[in-house]
Amino acid sequence: MARSEVAILARFEAKPEKAEEVAEFLSGAREAAEAEEGMTSWFAVRFDETRFGIFDTFPDEDGRQAHLEGEIATALLERADELLVDEPEIDADVDVLAAKHA
């Protein structure tokens, strides 16, 4: 059974003219998320027209750290100046208090 003990919450705002490109980037990142070992769950969300987020959970600190150094985070940070208003706000010290997995 999957476990979720720790998490990452990232929030960021797209430049208005880049909002759809950010949405496409996040939708396209699903394949990389599915291939990533050590991750329990991954969600890419849109809060409004330009504000987005990623929430992911891990069974342990090793999985969380691997994700922070992984393909999705690297690709987003490499394109931050092009796509985002500011640097992403990344809270990488989130503890999961309770979770339900299907």
Side-chain angles (χ1 to χ4, degrees):
M1 167 131 292
R3 293 181 327 147
S4 295
E5 300 293 328
V6 297
I8 298 170
L9 175 61
R11 291 178 292 256
F12 39 93
E13 184 169 359
K15 293 177 181 178
E17 69 277 11
K18 298 290 187 173
E20 291 312 310
E21 195 169 339
V22 171
E24 290 172 14
F25 170 86
L26 292 173
S27 294
R30 181 179 175 183
E31 188 175 317
E34 288 177 350
E36 191 172 313
E37 293 185 27
M39 184 189 310
T40 308
S41 61
W42 181 84
F43 300 90
V45 297
R46 187 175 203 163
F47 299 113
D48 61 27
E49 190 61 33
T50 59
R51 294 182 313 124
F52 297 86
I54 298 173
F55 179 75
D56 26 35
T57 65
F58 311 88
D60 55 34
E61 185 59 39
D62 290 340
R64 177 164 56 187
Q65 192 58 42
H67 179 69
L68 286 169
E69 298 167 1
E71 181 180 339
I72 298 168
T74 300
L76 180 62
L77 292 175
E78 284 177 353
R79 298 189 64 197
D81 288 343
E82 170 197 352
L83 299 175
L84 307 179
V85 173
D86 289 312
E87 289 290 316
E89 179 184 330
I90 301 172
D91 189 348
D93 195 25
V94 178
D95 292 328
V96 175
L97 300 178
K100 180 206 178 283
H101 297 282

